[in-house]
Coordinates of all heavy atoms in Angstrom, one line a residue:
P322 N 137.9 130.1 85.0 CA 138.9 129.3 84.3 C 139.6 128.3 85.2 O 139.7 128.5 86.4 CB 139.9 130.4 83.8 CG 139.7 131.5 84.7 CD 138.3 131.5 85.2
A323 N 140.1 127.2 84.6 CA 140.8 126.2 85.3 C 142.0 126.8 85.9 O 142.7 127.7 85.4 CB 141.2 125.0 84.4
P324 N 142.4 126.4 87.2 CA 143.6 126.9 87.8 C 144.8 126.7 87.0 O 145.0 125.6 86.4 CB 143.6 126.1 89.2 CG 142.8 124.9 88.9 CD 141.8 125.3 88.0
S325 N 145.6 127.7 86.9 CA 146.8 127.6 86.1 C 147.9 126.7 86.8 O 147.9 126.6 88.0 CB 147.4 129.0 85.9 OG 147.7 129.6 87.1
Q326 N 148.6 126.0 86.0 CA 149.7 125.1 86.5 C 150.9 126.0 87.0 O 151.2 127.0 86.4 CB 150.1 124.2 85.4 CG 149.0 123.2 84.9 CD 148.6 122.3 86.0 OE1 149.4 121.9 86.9 NE2 147.3 121.9 86.0
P327 N 151.5 125.6 88.1 CA 152.7 126.3 88.5 C 153.8 126.3 87.4 O 153.9 125.3 86.7 CB 153.1 125.6 89.8 CG 152.5 124.2 89.6 CD 151.3 124.4 88.9
P328 N 154.5 127.4 87.3 CA 155.5 127.4 86.3 C 156.6 126.4 86.5 O 157.0 126.0 87.6 CB 156.1 128.8 86.4 CG 155.8 129.3 87.8 CD 154.5 128.6 88.2

Side-chain angles (χ1 to χ4, degrees):
S325 59
Q326 298 294 329

